[in-house]
Every structure is written in C-alpha cells, then in structure tokens.
Amino acid sequence: MRVGACLIALLLTTAASAQTPGGSAYHRAPDAIAKALETPPTPFVTVSPDHRTLAILGRENLPSIANLSKPILRLGGYRIDPATNGQAEVRVQWLNALSFKDVGSGRTVAVKLPAGLRFAAPNWSPDGTRLAFYAQQADGLSLWIAERDGSARAVAKGLNGTFGTPFAWMPDSKTLVANTVPAGRGAAPVASSTPTGPVIQESAGRTSAARTYEDLLGDAHDEALFDHYFTGQLVRIDLTGAAQPIGTPGLITEFSVSPDGRYLLTERLKRPYSYLLPARFFPTEIAVSTIGGQPVKTLVDRPLADDLPVDFDATVKGPREAMWRSDAPATLVWAEALDGGNPRAKIAFHDKVMMQPAPFDAAPVELAQTPARYAETLWGDDGFAVVVDREWRTRTEHRLAVAPSRPGQTRTISTLNYQDRYGDPGEPMVEDNAAGKPVMRFTPAHDGVYVTGDGATKAGAFPFLATMPLAGGEHTRLWTAKAPYYETVVALLDERGQRILTRRESAKLAPNYMIRGVKGGGAKAVTAFADPAPVFAGVTQRTITYPRADGLPLSGSLYLPAGYDAKRDGPLPTLLWAYPAEFTDAKVAGQTVDQGNRFVRPRGISHLFLLTQGYAILDNPSMPIIGEGGVEANDTYVKQLQQDAQAAVDAVVKLGVGDRSRMAVGGHSYGAFMTANLLAHTDLFRAGIARSGAYNRTLTPFGFQAEQRTYWQATPTYTEMSPFTYADRIKAPILLIHGGADDNSGTFPIQSERMYAALKGNGATVRYVVLPNEPHGYRALESTEETLWQMTDWLDRYVKPKQSGSTATVAAAAAEK
C-alpha cells in the first residue's frame, strides 16, 4: 500500500469509528512509557580477536518518522536508500559512539568521531589492532578505520551497501576489499510517464510455485533501477586509502578472500530477473578469481531458481553455499543436493559437501554426505571438522565429525531435535584465526574442543563451558553459571582456557562483562552499564507452570506491576501476549525453562510497557501446536490453540492475580493471527490486540509459517485456520495495527485492510491503525509511541473497567467514552 493510501485508510478508519480518538496526529505514549523510550539503549560490545580489547559501541535510539520517511526503493526483495546507495533506514542498526577498553588494565579510550556520524558493521582486523566500519554521510557511504589509540579516519568513499556490509578485511590486516559504486555511473534511469506496452508474465505448464514475497521487481524500469543501484565494483583499499580495482563491475551479492589472501570468491546475479521471486533466486554465477581479478574458476552458472518445491528444505540443483575452508590456505568448499533439491525424495543422504584446493585444477573430493539438508561446517584442522545438517519436517539435526585429510569418512557425534532445550549439548566455540576466519578452539592437549551452551533446565538456564573429546564420548563440564545469574561465556582469555570473559546478568542486575577464573574465585567487572529503565526495577517476574487439558505441561512468564500486592489490590486486568510454535514431539513442546535469572527491560513496541499502566502480563505463554508421528500439526491448530489459551487463563486466575472477566490477548505477526483466531473460537477474552498479522490464508496459498503444504493440498486446514473465515464470530473488541510498508513475507497490509472490512461489515467493535512507512517491526519513535498509546487506550476502554454484562454491553459502554 502506498503512503498516501495508508494515510487515507487511517483517516477513513478514524472517521468511521465513533469511539476512535479524533485526528491523525501521532499520540505520545503515557508518560512513564515515553520517558523509558527516550533513554538511550545500552551499548553493545565486541571483543578483539586477540581478546585484549573491548570495542564498546553506542547505539542510536529510535529514529524519527522523518528519517524513516526518506525516499527509498523496493527492488528484488531489498529496500535501499538511493541517496546513499545503502540499505534503507529500517534495515540498519546505526551506531553513534565508539570507545576501546583494555581488558587487562581497564583503561578506556574514546574514539574521536565527527559529531553526528552514524556508522554500522564494526569489524576487527584479523590481528585485533584496529576496527573498520562504514558510515553514512550525506553523499553516500564511506569506509572508516579506528585505531586503539582513539584516532579514526575515512579511507574510502562511495561504497555500495545495497546488498549488505560492503567491505571485508584481507588476512594481512593492512588491506580491505570493498564493494563500491562504479566510477562514472551516471544518473539513475528515469521512468517514462507513458508506458511502452503491457507487463506480461507467462508460464508454459512448468510447475513454478512461489511463496508470498514483498518488494519484488514489477516492470522494466524496476529492472533498470536494480541494475543501476546494485551494480558494484570491488576494490582493494590499503590503510592510506590507495585503491586498486578488482575485476569487472557486477551484481556482487557476496565476496570473500581466501585465508592466504591470494584468491577472491564471488557470487554475482545475472539476468533474466523474476517478478515473482526476490533477488536471491535470480540466475547466479559463483566464481573464483585471483586477488587481482583474473578469472580462475567458475564453480556454477545456474539459471533462475523458479522451479523449487515449496518445502522449507527445498534447494537449488548444483553447487551452492560456497565458502573457503577456514583452516587451509585456499580450499574451496561447497554443498550440492543429492535429491535434486527435493527434500521429499526417499534417499539415505540428501546433500554432499565437496572440497577443491587451489589451483582448482584437480578433481574435487567429497568431504561428507549428510542425511538431511546441509547447514554448516565448523572448521578445526586437517584432523577434525564438524559438518551439521538439519531437517525441518522432523526438527532433526545431525552433527558429523570428519577429518578433512581423510575425506568421506564421517562419524556421527549427535542426532537431536533442535527444539529440545534440555538436550542441547552446546556448540563448539569458534574464534577467528590469524587470517580472520572462524575456527574451533582446541584444548591445550589438542584432544578436544571447547563447547558452550545455554544449559537449559526446568529450574532455569545456566550457561556452561565444557570440552568435547575429539575421539567421542561425554563432554566434561569446566564451568557452569550459578544462580541468581544468567552468565554466558564470551571468550577464552588464555591459551589454557583458565580465564574467561563472560556476560552476566540477573533479575536485578543489568548485563555487564566480567573476567573470572574457570576453577573458581571472584569475578571482576569490566563494564558498568546502568539500568536503562529503572521504572521497571520494582516489577516482579516469575515462571509459572500449568497443565493443558490433555496433560501437556505448559508455562509462561508472569509479570506484575511494581508495588502490586495481591491481598490489597486483588486480581488485575491481564494481558496474554503470545506466539504459537509448532513441534513434532510433545515432550519437547512441554519443556519449561525458568526465566527468573534474566534481566528484562522492554524496548521499542514491547507489550511489557503496559506494566506501567496497571496490567498483569503473562508473557510468552506456551502455545504449542503439536504433530507427532507424521501427523500435520496444523490439522488440529484451532483445537490445540483453544486448549493452550484456556489453560493459561485458568492458571493466572487460580493464582489470584488475573481477573477472569478482564482478560485480553495480543500478539504480533503470527501472534496477531493467533489473537484473531482466539477471539473467533473462544469467549475467554474481553478484547484483543493484533499487530501486523495475516488473517486470510488463501492470500498465502503456497505455505506460511510452519505449513509446507499448499492451499490445494490442505484446503480444509487453510480455511479453518483463517480467522477471516470466522470474522462474523468475533464479538470482542479488536485493535488491528499494521505497518503501511510491511516487508515481511505474507503479511501485506491488505491482510489487515480486508480483515477490518470484514469485521466492520459484520458489526464488530474494531479499530484499524496504519502506521505510515513502517515495516513489519515498527521503528520510528513516533510510530512506537503511537502503538503503545493505542494499545493502552484500547485496553483501558475495553478491559480495565470492572463492568458486568456481555462483551457487547462492555464494548457499547466503552464506545460512549
């Protein structure tokens, strides 16, 4: 929907609904919420490869609606800023401050940057002596280098950031490769107001299903704009700013330098383009050149990938996911489907992983075959690597050990359900080597690798450090976080793994970085970040557990307002904010992890801000939709959703903190879909809030969320799951909010537009708010405050009042306000 249409829709909605507050000006959130939103967010930290320095990075607060409303182009699934040749505002987390802190001494040096400079993608050099980043300036993107002494300088201008981060370090730490706007590019193509003919698309009987994507190319002018803005020229840039072109310009989506610095791996898009698929499906050439740009090898030149099955594990034929082996000078690695890209093929192995060392003239060798779709390789050395695959249908992950010096001989390390939090063995620690490439961290005796994990248990999550023997067998725990803290391992600070850097928080203490010994002793704080929202310091949180009607254990995080006393204040108006999840194992679906050791402070459009307005909130109550033994979970979606919601409501009422007659339900995206379904199929709630949802599944006919079947394969399920089908049954007041420039697959603004029309036409109490220029997750300060004002106003009208009578009676009374 265009911005003008969004504004018209908002005005029409306002005029048509007597109870809607008048005017289209942005509202300020309630004072306590507004003040919290205006507080700068907590900085984040990145550790140098040598573990000697922390880069402390200040984050921008919410952008203004004026910043968010600058002209953008939506092309091939991307959103770009034509003024800077970078990604649009909504796609970048801008930073605004930088300092370096020495881990050993604690000495901090602030980096001198120009006032108002916005930058992104901080990246340490492989030797850890300096940090590179790109900055946004009025005339484009520039490449900057910051030294640990606090100095900083721009070394290049005119970067092309349309595909993402436009630079990478060379292994020597003295040179970078950057994607730049080609010299002499000229002005952008101008669309003619007079069409030269119709836009024609045609299919000749070949199956070519496509999911519902946003921001696609639409005509020849879009194609010309795509070529103009996305075409880049790779260059080598040294620390003085001297630049040397590499090869020829092209639509270079990815590039990486070999660990020895001699070769460059690139992925380039080619014509013909598609009007139904985003750019990642366009014809693609994956090739290797010398670092000077001379062609060496073309790995694949594949056509438009418009014939993939709709299954989530479907993939292209031929080589894909090409990369460099991190622990070798210049060995090319890639995956290939053994099932023709169709995961439903009944074969023992679905993928193979291939290797080919420079100079790439010998036949490639097969490193491993994987039972499911290849996911990643964790590199170590010639004797040990870990190949990982995953299968969506069963949620199964396999980890295979392989020695690259003996390719083809694999050993299964583990087979697990990757949704199983209790059974998660953790992940091998990966650190950048001298070439700046990620490798596993071996133990001093080289007989194991270090492993970290979340340590989820029913009593809480207690992250750990362990070792995994290379020969196989049980992990050995070296250190485990202890209550009341949630403390994750960030880095090992010495060769023997005796000192570690951790990030520690608790329910009352803001996250900060600590140095501690593995074998015990005290922890030394390295940072001292303050509580960004002390207004929430008095809020209480606890994890509650309760059974579903069929006995399945469920849980949720119950938050109560600061100063609440159950005996004095009695049951509160309560909001359930949830997001359903699909499972293939009931035991996994029923897992509970106490969240009592986490530091929770809301940001952005978080529903937790409503705690300041006197509401109890059951956050993320379990809403599992389970399909075991090959049964499709969504075939019983409505029934299971009803059971999940009933159990959650009963639980908070039984505790005496939730008022059964003053219950609300809400959610964002798939949670909005859930909300509308619960209002249509239960009478548990007095009102609902549905943000940026999809309500009519015939508009997403080739699958959605966890549903892999098409509309024509599962018509009854699509129909029953669509709350649009049952709009006439929704009697409780419902607030619909949607970003006018939603960029999420399937949640076009028309979903809320047509749902509003259906509800209005059936006499429902409904408000429809369109936030101009906002994507799927709202970003601007004005939009954020508007969203939280709308949510507060809606619940204050239809949920908070202690009124008896039917939902319709309550709604009528609220409408008179």
Side-chain angles (χ1 to χ4, degrees):
M1 181 185 289
R2 291 185 292 275
V3 174
C6 293
L7 290 171
I8 291 170
L10 179 58
L11 292 169
L12 288 175
T13 303
T14 304
S17 181
Q19 70 267 32
T20 302
S24 59
Y26 288 102
H27 295 92
R28 186 175 187 266
D31 193 58
I33 298 175
K35 288 180 178 178
L37 291 173
E38 292 160 5
T39 303
T42 301
F44 81 91
V45 169
T46 178
V47 187
S48 64
D50 60 7
H51 305 140
R52 293 172 51 196
T53 310
L54 301 183
I56 301 175
L57 297 135
R59 296 183 292 164
E60 273 195 354
N61 211 336
L62 299 169
S64 68
I65 190 65
N67 224 0
L68 198 70
S69 300
K70 292 178 180 178
I72 65 171
L73 295 174
R74 308 178 190 182
L75 301 167
Y78 291 89
R79 293 187 176 185
I80 66 165
D81 180 353
T84 63
N85 227 98
Q87 295 196 329
E89 180 81 27
V90 297
R91 302 294 173 90
V92 183
Q93 171 59 67
W94 292 109
L95 308 171
N96 58 10
L98 170 63
S99 60
F100 292 124
K101 191 178 189 75
D102 184 80
V103 173
S105 68
R107 179 173 175 265
T108 301
V109 176
V111 176
K112 302 176 182 66
L113 298 173
L117 188 74
R118 318 173 80 204
F119 64 97
N123 190 0
W124 284 102
S125 59
D127 64 4
T129 59
R130 50 184 60 92
L131 195 76
F133 53 85
Y134 74 90
Q136 183 193 68
Q137 296 177 289
D139 57 349
L141 304 179
S142 54
L143 178 62
W144 285 66
I145 302 293
E147 304 286 352
R148 291 195 294 195
D149 64 4
S151 62
R153 64 195 182 279
V155 296
K157 291 186 176 182
L159 271 61
N160 188 331
T162 48
F163 283 118
T165 301
F167 70 90
W169 281 102
M170 292 275 289
D172 63 4
S173 296
K174 299 175 181 178
T175 317
L176 301 98
V177 175
N179 194 10
T180 64
V181 175
R185 179 178 66 176
V190 177
S192 171
S193 59
T194 303
T196 58
V199 176
I200 299 174
Q201 300 182 65
E202 184 175 359
S203 180
R206 185 171 64 107
T207 300
S208 183
R211 291 184 177 271
T212 312
Y213 297 108
E214 307 259 15
D215 302 336
L216 304 178
L217 301 181
D219 54 30
H221 179 62
D222 281 354
E223 294 189 47
L225 289 172
F226 187 78
D227 286 337
H228 178 82
Y229 285 104
F230 286 80
T231 297
Q233 170 68 61
L234 295 181
V235 297
R236 273 188 294 169
I237 302 170
D238 67 22
L239 298 181
T240 69
Q244 180 180 355
I246 303 173
T248 58
L251 298 167
I252 304 166
T253 59
E254 294 184 28
F255 59 94
S256 61
V257 181
S258 61
D260 63 5
R262 297 174 58 202
Y263 298 96
L264 185 68
L265 174 65
T266 59
E267 290 195 16
R268 296 175 181 240
L269 303 181
K270 303 171 69 175
R271 286 176 177 263
Y273 303 148
S274 170
Y275 293 177
L276 293 177
L277 296 167
R280 68 177 182 270
F281 294 95
F282 291 179
T284 301
E285 177 191 85
I286 304 176
V288 176
S289 71
T290 66
I291 198 62
Q294 296 301 311
V296 174
K297 174 188 177 65
T298 298
L299 178 62
V300 67
D301 190 353
R302 65 171 178 253
L304 178 69
D306 64 345
D307 60 347
L308 303 185
V310 295
D311 303 74
F312 293 158
D313 288 334
T315 192
V316 296
K317 301 178 180 70
R320 70 178 200 278
E321 297 180 62
M323 72 197 82
W324 295 110
R325 180 179 156 188
S326 295
D327 60 325
T331 295
L332 190 60
V333 182
W334 66 90
E336 288 188 49
L338 296 170
D339 55 15
N342 183 1
R344 293 183 181 271
K346 304 298 184 183
I347 55 177
F349 297 96
H350 286 265
D351 269 351
K352 62 180 179 180
V353 183
M354 306 298 293
M355 294 192 309
Q356 189 179 38
F360 316 108
D361 50 9
V365 298
E366 187 178 278
L367 175 66
Q369 292 189 356
T370 59
R373 191 64 72 217
Y374 171 77
E376 62 177 331
T377 299
L378 305 175
W379 300 103
D381 59 14
D382 271 345
F384 189 73
V386 177
V387 176
V388 182
D389 74 10
R390 294 187 183 95
E391 182 182 56
W392 167 260
R393 184 179 57 84
T394 61
R395 313 301 198 271
T396 300
E397 176 182 289
H398 304 96
R399 300 183 186 181
L400 310 174
V402 60
S405 61
R406 299 186 300 278
Q409 303 176 36
T410 61
R411 169 175 54 86
T412 300
I413 298 174
S414 62
T415 299
L416 52 94
N417 182 319
Y418 58 74
Q419 291 181 309
D420 181 3
R421 291 177 290 176
Y422 292 173
D424 181 6
E427 298 280 346
M429 288 193 72
V430 173
E431 298 180 346
D432 285 351
N433 59 16
K437 304 296 183 182
V439 293
M440 288 182 286
R441 178 73 181 265
F442 288 99
T443 58
H446 209 83
D447 57 357
V449 294
Y450 290 101
V451 172
T452 60
D454 201 43
T457 69
K458 186 173 183 178
F462 301 99
F464 61 85
L465 174 68
T467 57
M468 179 180 75
L470 301 188
E474 294 295 318
H475 293 189
T476 299
R477 287 279 181 104
L478 304 177
W479 174 85
T480 302
K482 293 181 172 59
Y485 301 113
Y486 178 82
E487 190 168 2
T488 58
V489 179
V490 177
L492 303 179
L493 296 180
D494 57 46
E495 292 302 317
R496 297 186 58 79
Q498 297 301 303
R499 294 170 64 245
I500 57 177
L501 180 71
T502 65
R503 181 181 182 274
R504 188 176 76 175
E505 65 183 76
S506 72
K508 296 182 178 180
L509 296 177
N512 274 289
Y513 289 80
M514 321 293 291
I515 296 176
R516 62 162 58 252
V518 168
K519 294 185 178 180
K524 174 187 174 183
V526 183
T527 59
F529 300 137
D531 185 343
V535 68
F536 287 93
V539 166
T540 59
Q541 181 273 341
R542 59 170 163 158
T543 300
I544 64 171
T545 59
Y546 49 91
R548 197 165 78 170
D550 58 4
L552 182 74
L554 302 177
S555 63
S557 294
L558 178 62
Y559 291 87
L560 299 172
Y564 170 72
D565 182 279
K567 292 182 179 179
R568 180 192 66 209
D569 303 323
L572 295 173
T574 303
L575 171 65
L576 275 63
W577 194 271
Y579 193 96
E582 297 79 4
F583 295 87
T584 59
D585 186 332
K587 291 181 180 178
V588 172
Q591 290 178 348
T592 296
V593 179
D594 193 289
Q595 300 296 308
N597 59 352
R598 303 305 303 270
F599 184 80
V600 179
R601 293 295 183 269
R603 296 294 302 172
I605 56 174
S606 173
H607 51 283
L608 293 180
F609 278 114
L610 288 163
L611 287 162
T612 66
Q613 306 305 302
Y615 292 91
I617 297 177
L618 184 59
D619 186 35
N620 197 28
S622 303
M623 294 285 176
I625 310 298
I626 305 166
E628 292 185 299
V631 174
E632 295 287 351
N634 280 340
D635 287 349
T636 54
Y637 171 87
V638 171
K639 178 181 178 181
Q640 293 194 63
L641 196 66
Q642 291 170 321
Q643 293 176 333
D644 295 335
Q646 183 71 62
V649 169
D650 289 346
V652 293
V653 170
K654 184 177 180 180
L655 289 171
V657 299
D659 184 340
R660 190 181 296 276
S661 67
R662 294 188 293 164
M663 289 282 165
V665 64
H668 192 93
S669 193
Y670 206 55
F673 174 74
M674 169 209 73
T675 296
N677 265 308
L678 285 173
L679 296 187
H681 297 291
T682 75
D683 58 1
L684 296 170
F685 304 102
R686 251 172 62 175
I689 300 172
R691 298 190 324 215
S692 294
Y695 310 102
N696 183 350
R697 287 304 167 193
T698 67
L699 299 178
T700 56
F702 289 102
F704 59 90
Q705 200 69 10
E707 181 56 66
Q708 297 188 99
R709 297 169 296 175
T710 71
Y711 171 78
W712 298 274
Q713 293 169 334
T715 304
T717 296
Y718 273 66
T719 301
E720 184 181 20
M721 287 184 69
S722 295
F724 182 85
T725 305
Y726 305 99
D728 60 330
R729 299 185 186 179
I730 296 178
K731 304 304 180 185
I734 181 170
L735 171 63
L736 302 175
I737 306 177
H738 215 114
D742 197 309
D743 56 349
N744 182 59
S745 175
T747 52
F748 289 94
I750 195 174
Q751 288 275 3
S752 288
E753 179 183 325
R754 302 316 302 156
M755 188 65 177
Y756 171 71
L759 290 164
K760 182 174 180 290
N762 281 286
T765 299
V766 56
R767 183 188 299 172
Y768 174 35
V769 179
V770 178
L771 300 171
N773 300 334
E774 286 291 351
H776 191 61
Y778 322 142
R779 289 285 305 278
L781 176 60
E782 293 89 339
S783 302
T784 299
E785 292 209 36
E786 180 70 30
T787 297
L788 294 169
W789 184 92
Q790 292 285 351
M791 292 170 61
T792 302
D793 179 71
W794 197 252
L795 297 186
D796 284 354
R797 285 172 179 271
Y798 297 112
V799 178
K800 184 176 283 187
K802 292 183 177 181
Q803 294 176 312
S804 59
S806 66
T807 299
T809 302
V810 173
E816 293 175 358
K817 289 186 177 181

